[in-house]
């Protein structure tokens, strides 16, 4: 498959991510950027919640059910809106729901700001992902991908995508695992019939190239206002961070975290508006509150760590609201009661935040990552938007410093924005450079003490500051242009008819400024692509390349997996060591593995085969289980594992060494084999 052949898959992915949310939000009266930016978070909520509810209603989780639920919800919202307005009440709007405030930048600048900003970011991000992936059907050669690819295929096969039972993909381990991302990818595969890797790759590109820039635009519009220059700058700079949306795809691979962080800016923007700190407040509390209820569940069911990040980022917002109310009371524009009530609410919020932070923290056994650098280096990486040892992004570093200067000049109004940045910075500094201990685990254990996961959060917090810096810099171009124009005017002779009137001069200056702005934005976009992004793209290429030395499924293994569906019957179960990539027979060959994931609880019979399958010729307990489970087949993928570990699957040891009796070789590719035991045919 070529990338040109994936165009219909991209179209279907955009449909799945955008259309349901678009219908529901449109029925609610949401328009323009708010509609575009919130569509994907709302669609994710519809998909993940439908997947949870469907089993209780005895409904399959399919595209037909997903889109039907979306249409029904849109009709219900439309009916509720009609009923509400018929009673003479105002439905209300989110902030900045009108036309862009263009000032003197011109009508076309206002019209094209959002689409061109998104288009720039989308093209660059998609291009880097496509280059990094290599082929649409390549897949990450990393540990976590055994689960993620199989989870998507599991949802397609079982038509059950409930986060309550996805677990580790076995009946014995049906417990909670956030399935929001897998639900969306499974819908894409069901709708298009594409392979699991192609569906996941295309879905990942749509998340990074479309959902992320739109969400960032929404967040920035809450903080700096609904103006063309900041919004265009946001779209242009959305593709300039190495930490997101590329880092988690090149490491891990952490698909759910990646998808949840892409949703985070839009949800955080709603929180800012709900707490009354947006540049232009909503008409009432209800629009942002209802929108938050429609987007928050999807983000949490994609990955709960995004909720914990939201709790941390919201802390300065809560304090910002308290300080705002206090200052209004001191100036005679507010009430003392409001200050007291919000102070109590703030105490309750921080108490609940601490409890949530503690409850969602996994055990230390699941958080083995240790610090790897000094405090000073961590600080430099934060300021230069180049975490995890990547090359400094100098353009973003310059804009960050300028943005911090802008905040310092307007500290009373924007100090809480700096607070959000400091929350993300402290988390990354602690996890990457502080010694292991109770305090480090207390703060960062929710993210498994993993520096990569916290590095990916930095762009969400630094984006507003960088846009502050970009807008300040662009306005300086205007000042320079005005200065040059005045100098030229003074040099011209004041003769009747020789000088243009003042109105024409201003118009000419405006046109020149618009041209300069567009050129400067283009320069910013190109300059932000230097340095730090090249190593990250190379990391993507290394992680997704299928070669003779791949860590998970090398070229020989892949060639053998392509033969499995023609040899093993549809109801056959294949035994294999997940650490060698053998379990990907599920996602890549549509055959059920005995162990679909490296982890997970097993039934007694499954564990018996994992411990003794190669003893079928002489262990009387083995053949009855092989016959019952129809597990006659096994993949001998050697002893190389994706991560160094003790072998937890001893039932394949003799098979790998070649000493297991009564083994029939069905297919080979290089040194790997598909075999069948004949010991149980008697």
């Amino acid at each position: 498959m070529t990338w040109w052949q994936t165009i219909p898959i991209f179209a279907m992915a955009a449909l799945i991510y955008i259309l349901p949310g678009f219908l529901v939000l449109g029925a609610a009266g949401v328009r323009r950027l708010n509609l575009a930016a919130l569509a994907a978070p709302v669609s994710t909520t519809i998909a993940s919640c439908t997947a949870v509810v469907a089993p209780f209603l005895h409904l399959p989780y399919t595209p037909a059910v997903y889109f039907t639920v979306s249409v029904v919800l849109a009709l219900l919202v439309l009916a509720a809106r009609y009923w509400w307005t018929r009673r003479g009440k105002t439905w209300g709007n989110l902030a900045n729901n009108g036309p862009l405030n263009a000032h003197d930048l011109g009508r076309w600048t206002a019209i094209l700001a959002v689409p061109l900003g998104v288009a720039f970011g989308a093209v660059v991000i998609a291009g880097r992902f496509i280059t990094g992936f290599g082929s649409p059907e390549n897949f990450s050669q990393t540990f976590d991908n055994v689960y993620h690819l199989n989870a998507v295929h599991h949802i397609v096969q079982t038509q059950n995508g409930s986060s309550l039972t996805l677990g580790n993909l076995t009946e014995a381990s049906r417990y909670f695992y956030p399935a929001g991302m897998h639900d969306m990818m499974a819908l894409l595969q069901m709708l298009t019939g594409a392979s699991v890797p192609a569906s996941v790759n295309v879905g990942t590109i749509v998340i990074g190239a479309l959902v992320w820039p739109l969400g960032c635009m929404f967040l920035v519009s809450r903080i700096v206002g609904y103006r063309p220059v900041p919004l265009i700058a946001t779209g242009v700079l959305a593709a300039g961070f190495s930490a997101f949306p590329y880092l988690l795809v090149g490491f891990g691979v952490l698909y759910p975290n990646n998808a949840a962080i892409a949703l985070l800016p839009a949800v955080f923007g709603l929180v800012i508006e709900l707490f009354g700190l947006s540049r232009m407040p909503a008409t009432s509390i209800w629009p942002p509150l209802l929108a938050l209820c429609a987007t928050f569940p999807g983000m949490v069911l994609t990955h709960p760590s995004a909720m914990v990040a939201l709790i941390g980022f919201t802390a300065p917002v809560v304090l910002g609201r308290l300080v705002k109310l206090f200052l209004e009371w001191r100036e005679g524009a507010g009430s003392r009661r409001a200050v007291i009530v919000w102070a109590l609410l703030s105490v309750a919020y921080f108490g609940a935040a601490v409890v949530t932070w503690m409850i969602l923290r996994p055990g230390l056994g699941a958080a083995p990552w240790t610090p790897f650098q000094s405090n000073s280096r961590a600080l430099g990486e934060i300021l230069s938007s180049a975490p995890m040892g990547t090359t400094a992004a100098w353009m973003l570093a310059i804009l960050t410093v300028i943005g911090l200067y802008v905040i310092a000049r307007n500290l009373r109004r924007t100090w809480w924005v700096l607070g959000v940045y400091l929350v993300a910075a402290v988390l990354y500094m602690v996890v990457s450079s502080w010694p292991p201990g109770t305090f480090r685990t207390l703060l960062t254990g929710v993210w498994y003490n993993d520096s990569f996961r916290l590095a990916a959060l930095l762009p969400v917090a630094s984006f507003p500051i960088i846009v502050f810096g970009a807008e300040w810099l662009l306005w300086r171009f205007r000042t320079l242009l005005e200065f040059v124009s005045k100098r030229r005017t003074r040099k011209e002779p004041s003769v009747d008819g020789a000088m243009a009137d003042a109105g024409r001069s201003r118009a000419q200056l405006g046109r020149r400024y618009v041209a300069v702005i567009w050129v400067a934005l283009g320069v910013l976009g190109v300059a932000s692509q230097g340095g730090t992004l090249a190593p990250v793209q190379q990391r993507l290429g290394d992680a997704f390349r299928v070669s003779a030395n791949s860590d998970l499924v090398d070229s020989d293994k892949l060639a053998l997996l392509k033969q499995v569906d023609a040899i093993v019957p549809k109801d056959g179960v294949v035994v294999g060591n997940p650490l060698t990539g053998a379990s990907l027979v599920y996602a890549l060959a549509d055959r059920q593995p005995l162990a679909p994931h490296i982890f997970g609880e097993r039934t007694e019979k499954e564990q018996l085969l994992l411990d003794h399958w190669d003893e079928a010729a002489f262990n009387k307990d083995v053949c009855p289980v092989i016959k019952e489970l129809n597990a006659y087949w096994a993949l001998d993928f050697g002893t190389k594992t994706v991560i160094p570990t003790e072998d937890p699957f001893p039932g394949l040891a003799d098979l790998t060494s070649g000493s297991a009796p009564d083994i029939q070789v069905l297919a080979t590719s290089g040194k790997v084999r598909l075999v069948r035991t004949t010991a149980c045919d008697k």
Side-chain angles (χ1 to χ4, degrees):
M1 174 181 283
T2 67
W3 286 106
W4 291 109
Q5 292 172 310
T6 63
I7 291 176
I9 307 177
F10 274 104
M12 290 299 102
L15 189 73
I16 289 169
Y17 273 94
I18 300 299
L19 181 60
F22 188 91
L23 292 175
V24 172
L25 292 166
V30 180
R31 298 292 182 267
R32 297 183 174 87
L33 173 62
N34 298 339
L35 175 61
L38 297 178
V42 172
S43 295
T44 305
T45 292
I46 295 172
S48 55
C49 290
T50 297
V52 170
V53 174
F56 295 101
L57 301 178
H58 304 289
L59 292 173
Y61 181 70
T62 63
V65 170
Y66 171 59
F67 287 116
T68 299
V69 169
S70 303
V71 171
V72 170
L73 287 174
L75 292 174
L76 290 174
V77 170
L78 189 63
R81 181 185 175 199
Y82 175 78
W83 174 78
W84 191 254
T85 53
R86 286 281 291 177
R87 296 179 63 193
K89 297 185 179 182
T90 303
W91 183 265
N93 292 308
L94 291 169
N96 307 326
N97 206 32
L100 277 172
N101 181 8
H103 294 301
D104 57 352
L105 291 179
R107 176 170 172 265
W108 284 107
T109 301
I111 292 173
L112 297 175
V114 172
L116 284 184
V118 172
F120 184 96
V123 168
V124 174
I125 291 172
R128 287 201 177 274
F129 271 128
I130 287 172
T131 303
F133 292 159
S135 166
E137 297 190 289
N138 282 352
F139 50 91
S140 176
Q141 300 286 333
T142 51
F143 171 85
D144 298 87
N145 215 21
V146 175
Y147 178 83
H148 296 310
L149 295 185
N150 280 346
V152 172
H153 190 64
H154 179 80
I155 294 170
V156 174
Q157 293 299 302
T158 63
Q159 296 187 342
N160 182 353
S162 175
S163 296
L164 302 180
T165 58
L166 188 63
N168 276 317
L169 312 180
T170 65
E171 286 297 319
S173 58
R174 286 168 58 89
Y175 46 75
F176 177 83
Y177 188 90
M181 182 282 301
H182 305 90
D183 290 335
M184 301 296 272
M185 304 298 186
L187 287 171
L188 182 58
Q189 193 197 8
M190 286 187 270
L191 200 60
T192 63
S195 67
V196 175
S199 300
V200 171
N201 287 341
V202 169
T204 300
I205 293 172
V206 169
I207 289 170
L210 190 61
V211 178
W212 165 249
L214 283 170
C216 290
M217 280 189 172
F218 183 83
L219 173 61
V220 167
S221 72
R222 305 304 99 171
I223 297 173
V224 306
Y226 200 49
R227 293 177 285 116
V229 171
L231 293 181
I232 301 171
T234 300
V236 165
L237 295 172
F241 294 89
S242 63
F244 198 87
Y246 312 109
L247 189 64
L248 296 184
V249 181
F251 166 79
V253 59
L254 305 180
Y255 285 126
N257 296 73
N258 183 73
I261 292 174
L263 301 173
L264 180 58
V267 179
F268 185 39
L270 289 170
V271 170
I272 292 170
E273 184 169 336
L274 177 64
F275 288 168
L277 292 183
S278 58
R279 187 68 175 267
M280 295 180 64
T283 55
S284 75
I285 192 177
W286 293 109
L289 180 59
L290 292 174
L292 187 61
C293 291
T295 56
F296 182 75
M299 183 187 73
V300 174
L301 289 176
T302 298
H303 205 280
S305 65
M307 176 187 70
V308 182
L310 181 67
I311 290 172
F313 291 165
T314 301
V317 178
V318 172
L319 292 177
R321 176 65 173 172
L322 179 61
V323 170
K324 181 181 179 183
L325 290 173
F326 177 77
L327 293 176
E328 288 175 351
W329 169 63
R330 286 285 300 271
E331 295 167 359
S335 68
R336 181 181 178 184
R337 180 183 178 185
V339 176
I340 295 174
V341 169
W342 195 261
L344 294 174
L345 289 175
S346 300
V347 172
Y349 172 83
F350 282 100
V354 170
V355 172
T356 304
W357 209 283
M358 297 294 292
I359 290 176
L360 293 181
R361 188 177 60 181
L364 289 178
W369 283 274
T370 56
F372 62 92
Q373 62 183 351
S374 65
N375 286 334
S376 58
R377 181 174 174 180
L379 181 60
E381 290 185 346
I382 293 166
L383 289 173
S384 62
S385 293
M388 303 308 299
T390 51
T391 307
W394 292 113
M395 177 54 67
L396 298 184
I398 293 169
L399 296 179
T400 299
V401 172
I402 297 174
L404 292 173
Y405 163 75
V406 172
I407 287 178
R409 291 191 57 184
N410 302 274
L411 200 57
R412 174 169 174 170
R413 185 173 62 84
T414 58
W415 70 268
W416 62 270
V417 179
L418 178 61
V420 174
Y421 181 65
L422 291 177
V423 168
V426 167
L427 287 173
Y428 178 70
M429 177 175 286
V430 168
V431 77
S432 66
S433 63
W434 284 36
T438 303
F439 182 73
R440 179 175 181 266
T441 300
L442 177 67
L443 282 185
T444 65
V446 175
W447 292 273
Y448 304 96
N449 290 332
D450 183 1
S451 300
F452 280 93
R453 299 171 199 253
L454 286 164
L457 288 172
L458 286 172
V460 179
S462 61
F463 222 124
I465 294 174
I466 288 172
V467 171
F468 275 143
E471 188 179 23
W472 183 92
L473 190 62
L474 292 170
W475 280 109
R476 298 293 76 76
F477 284 134
R478 173 175 178 165
T479 303
L480 179 62
L481 192 62
E482 288 176 342
F483 174 76
V484 172
S485 179
K486 289 178 182 178
R487 293 267 300 187
R488 289 179 177 175
T489 301
R490 283 199 297 268
K491 291 180 180 179
E492 293 177 358
S494 181
V495 181
D496 292 342
M499 294 182 61
D501 64 343
R504 185 180 301 172
S505 297
R506 283 194 298 271
Q508 290 175 346
L509 181 62
R511 285 193 295 271
R512 291 173 187 167
Y513 176 59
V514 170
V516 169
I517 286 294
W518 283 109
V519 171
L521 285 166
V523 171
L524 282 180
V526 173
S528 68
Q529 293 300 304
T532 187
L533 291 173
V536 172
Q537 183 172 306
Q538 182 60 47
R539 176 180 284 167
L540 276 174
D542 293 340
F544 279 77
R545 184 180 300 113
V546 179
S547 68
N549 299 312
S550 296
D551 292 332
L552 185 62
V553 176
D554 59 31
S555 51
D556 284 338
K557 294 177 182 179
L558 185 60
L560 183 62
L561 286 171
K562 291 179 178 179
Q563 303 177 53
V564 170
D565 63 339
I567 300 172
V568 178
K570 186 72 174 176
D571 62 345
V573 172
V574 181
V575 182
N577 184 345
L579 288 163
T580 65
S583 289
L584 283 174
V585 68
Y586 194 33
L588 303 181
D590 192 25
R591 292 299 179 265
Q592 180 67 46
L594 185 67
H597 184 35
I598 295 167
F599 303 123
E601 297 177 14
R602 326 286 185 187
T603 65
E604 237 180 79
K605 293 176 180 178
E606 289 169 346
Q607 193 62 53
L608 175 69
L609 294 191
L610 291 173
D611 291 341
H612 304 288
W613 187 90
D614 54 8
E615 301 172 5
F618 53 86
N619 187 331
K620 62 181 179 62
D621 296 327
V622 175
C623 275
V625 178
I626 287 178
K627 292 177 180 179
E628 180 181 342
L629 299 182
N630 197 21
Y632 290 89
W633 299 268
L635 285 169
D636 175 10
F637 274 7
T639 57
K640 179 182 177 181
T641 55
V642 67
I643 57 172
T645 182
E646 294 182 6
D647 186 7
F649 306 101
L652 300 171
D654 289 343
L655 175 65
T656 301
S657 67
S659 60
D662 294 340
I663 294 296
Q664 177 187 6
V665 178
L666 302 177
T668 63
S669 178
K671 295 182 179 181
V672 298
R673 307 179 299 164
L674 170 65
V675 302
R676 182 184 185 278
T677 180
T678 59
C680 304
D681 293 342
K682 303 169 185 177

